[in-house]
Amino acid sequence: MLEIQGLIQVLKAEGYRVTQPRKRVLEALALAQRPVSPYDIQKMLLQEGSYLNHVTIYRILDLFCLLNLAHRVSLVGGFVKCTLGAKEGCHRFMVCRQCGVLREFADKALCEEENEIAQDLGFHTERHFSEFSGLCSNCQV
Amino acid sequence: MLEIQGLIQVLKAEGYRVTQPRKRVLEALALAQRPVSPYDIQKMLLQEGSYLNHVTIYRILDLFCLLNLAHRVSLVGGFVKCTLGAKEGCHRFMVCRQCGVLREFADKALCEEENEIAQDLGFHTERHFSEFSGLCSNCQV
DNA sequence: GTTGGTGCAAAGGATTTGCAACTTG
DNA sequence: CAAGTTGCAAATCCTTTGCACCAAC
């Protein structure tokens, strides 16, 4: 599976081990394609016959977020797998308030504009977190 | 107090009652000037000799967020009082990762740019949530 | 064989709910 | 007075910690 290949690369490059639980959590995230909680992931995996302790899932998600492999969506309180490369600057997310589907993107010009605004206010910006709420193409009548 | 005047206006306009607990929570938020948890607020009020149940504080904060009188800062997990008017579009926040100080602003051009980007991806954007992490002017060496 | 990861148990917070009692308009 | 709010009790859920055991390199 392509997803797993990417995981292996990133984990190894950062000195982490490629374990069964980590592979399974990433598969679940990829399958969900919308924000899911640690317990959601546990249930998904149970249905496939594999069990992971919830603490383990928490720790794996923390690691994934650290490596930019996943993101915690604060608007809905769940985790999603990042589709952009782990190192491509700041990721932004649009969440459909109707169906919950999520779309990820990055925009360099937006980052620069935000940096300028912040600088004018005396701030040195390091990271930009942004999420948009609205309607996806399917949910617009 | 000026803050309280603004609260009264907004609450009345939306059909909510102006109660003692709501005034006290707003005062505490105004006093804090940085993200605080519901229990932080409870402690602050205790020191002034007034007690509020934590459930009450949760409900009041929910209401304030709904009315854009307050905002939940997801970067640090606390609530802040909004300094911008309740109806002035989307509020953005910069949090200093060193001292925790928070600065709020709004930028119409940024909103429009984000709307365009979203539209190109098929999304109709209704609200923009964004928080920047970095260093405030005091914490930059 | 080491080191890092996972499972388990348990604790501690955070958040929510239903209902009775109290305030506000 | 009537409707909206608050307090209380309690339940539930979320998240973290320490330590023993296990798997990856």
Side-chain angles (χ1 to χ4, degrees), chain A residues 65-66 68 90 115 124-129, chain B residues 75 131-134:
Chain A
C65 286
L66 188 72
N68 275 321
C90 56
N115 283 338
H124 172 68
T125 306
E126 294 167 343
R127 302 185 69 182
H128 309 180
F129 296 86
Chain B
L75 277 183
E131 298 176 6
F132 304 159
S133 176

Short mmCIF file of all heavy atoms in Angstrom, two decimals, chain A residues 65-66 68 90 115 124-129, chain B residues 75 131-134:
data_model
loop_
_atom_site.label_atom_id
_atom_site.label_comp_id
_atom_site.label_asym_id
_atom_site.label_seq_id
_atom_site.Cartn_x
_atom_site.Cartn_y
_atom_site.Cartn_z
N CYS A 65 1.14 13.62 14.65
CA CYS A 65 0.96 15.07 14.59
C CYS A 65 2.32 15.78 14.65
O CYS A 65 2.54 16.78 13.96
CB CYS A 65 0.07 15.55 15.72
SG CYS A 65 -1.67 15.14 15.49
N LEU A 66 3.19 15.23 15.45
CA LEU A 66 4.52 15.81 15.55
C LEU A 66 5.25 15.75 14.21
O LEU A 66 5.96 16.68 13.83
CB LEU A 66 5.32 15.02 16.61
CG LEU A 66 6.67 15.58 17.00
CD1 LEU A 66 6.51 16.83 17.84
CD2 LEU A 66 7.48 14.53 17.76
N ASN A 68 3.80 15.69 11.34
CA ASN A 68 2.93 16.23 10.28
C ASN A 68 2.33 15.15 9.39
O ASN A 68 2.02 15.40 8.23
CB ASN A 68 3.68 17.24 9.42
CG ASN A 68 3.63 18.62 10.04
OD1 ASN A 68 2.61 19.02 10.58
ND2 ASN A 68 4.73 19.34 9.96
N CYS A 90 2.84 24.97 6.24
CA CYS A 90 1.66 24.83 7.10
C CYS A 90 0.46 24.32 6.31
O CYS A 90 0.17 24.76 5.21
CB CYS A 90 1.34 26.16 7.78
SG CYS A 90 1.08 27.51 6.67
N ASN A 115 2.24 36.40 7.54
CA ASN A 115 3.47 36.81 8.20
C ASN A 115 3.61 38.32 8.24
O ASN A 115 4.02 38.89 9.25
CB ASN A 115 4.67 36.19 7.47
CG ASN A 115 4.85 34.73 7.80
OD1 ASN A 115 4.38 34.26 8.83
ND2 ASN A 115 5.53 34.00 6.93
N HIS A 124 6.42 37.71 15.61
CA HIS A 124 7.19 36.87 14.70
C HIS A 124 6.50 35.52 14.62
O HIS A 124 6.48 34.76 15.59
CB HIS A 124 8.62 36.70 15.20
CG HIS A 124 9.40 35.70 14.41
ND1 HIS A 124 9.76 35.91 13.10
CD2 HIS A 124 9.84 34.47 14.73
CE1 HIS A 124 10.42 34.86 12.66
NE2 HIS A 124 10.49 33.97 13.63
N THR A 125 5.90 35.24 13.48
CA THR A 125 5.07 34.06 13.34
C THR A 125 5.90 32.84 12.96
O THR A 125 6.72 32.91 12.05
CB THR A 125 3.99 34.29 12.28
OG1 THR A 125 3.28 35.47 12.61
CG2 THR A 125 3.03 33.13 12.23
N GLU A 126 5.65 31.73 13.64
CA GLU A 126 6.35 30.49 13.33
C GLU A 126 5.45 29.46 12.67
O GLU A 126 5.85 28.75 11.77
CB GLU A 126 6.96 29.91 14.61
CG GLU A 126 8.05 30.81 15.17
CD GLU A 126 8.44 30.41 16.57
OE1 GLU A 126 7.67 29.67 17.23
OE2 GLU A 126 9.51 30.83 17.02
N ARG A 127 4.24 29.37 13.15
CA ARG A 127 3.30 28.40 12.57
C ARG A 127 1.92 29.02 12.42
O ARG A 127 1.49 29.81 13.26
CB ARG A 127 3.21 27.14 13.44
CG ARG A 127 4.55 26.47 13.63
CD ARG A 127 4.39 25.17 14.39
NE ARG A 127 3.70 24.16 13.59
CZ ARG A 127 3.40 22.95 14.05
NH1 ARG A 127 3.67 22.62 15.27
NH2 ARG A 127 2.80 22.08 13.27
N HIS A 128 1.23 28.63 11.36
CA HIS A 128 -0.12 29.11 11.12
C HIS A 128 -1.08 27.94 11.21
O HIS A 128 -0.92 26.95 10.49
CB HIS A 128 -0.26 29.72 9.72
CG HIS A 128 0.79 30.73 9.38
ND1 HIS A 128 0.83 31.36 8.18
CD2 HIS A 128 1.82 31.21 10.08
CE1 HIS A 128 1.86 32.19 8.15
NE2 HIS A 128 2.48 32.11 9.30
N PHE A 129 -2.05 28.06 12.08
CA PHE A 129 -3.09 27.05 12.14
C PHE A 129 -4.36 27.67 11.59
O PHE A 129 -4.79 28.72 12.07
CB PHE A 129 -3.32 26.61 13.58
CG PHE A 129 -2.13 25.94 14.18
CD1 PHE A 129 -1.13 26.69 14.77
CD2 PHE A 129 -2.00 24.56 14.14
CE1 PHE A 129 -0.01 26.07 15.32
CE2 PHE A 129 -0.89 23.94 14.69
CZ PHE A 129 0.11 24.70 15.28
N LEU B 75 -4.93 26.30 20.32
CA LEU B 75 -3.49 26.09 20.47
C LEU B 75 -3.10 25.82 21.92
O LEU B 75 -2.18 25.06 22.18
CB LEU B 75 -2.71 27.32 19.98
CG LEU B 75 -2.46 27.41 18.49
CD1 LEU B 75 -1.61 28.63 18.17
CD2 LEU B 75 -1.77 26.15 17.99
N GLU B 131 -5.25 30.69 13.98
CA GLU B 131 -4.40 31.05 15.11
C GLU B 131 -2.95 30.93 14.66
O GLU B 131 -2.59 29.98 13.99
CB GLU B 131 -4.66 30.11 16.28
CG GLU B 131 -6.07 30.18 16.81
CD GLU B 131 -6.33 29.15 17.91
OE1 GLU B 131 -5.36 28.48 18.32
OE2 GLU B 131 -7.48 29.03 18.34
N PHE B 132 -2.17 31.91 15.03
CA PHE B 132 -0.74 31.87 14.72
C PHE B 132 0.03 31.63 16.00
O PHE B 132 -0.30 32.15 17.05
CB PHE B 132 -0.26 33.20 14.13
CG PHE B 132 -1.02 33.63 12.91
CD1 PHE B 132 -1.01 34.96 12.51
CD2 PHE B 132 -1.74 32.72 12.15
CE1 PHE B 132 -1.71 35.37 11.39
CE2 PHE B 132 -2.43 33.12 11.02
CZ PHE B 132 -2.42 34.45 10.65
N SER B 133 1.08 30.84 15.86
CA SER B 133 1.96 30.61 16.99
C SER B 133 3.30 31.25 16.67
O SER B 133 3.79 31.16 15.55
CB SER B 133 2.13 29.11 17.20
OG SER B 133 3.07 28.88 18.23
N GLY B 134 3.90 31.91 17.65
CA GLY B 134 5.17 32.56 17.40
C GLY B 134 5.64 33.31 18.64
O GLY B 134 5.36 32.89 19.76
#
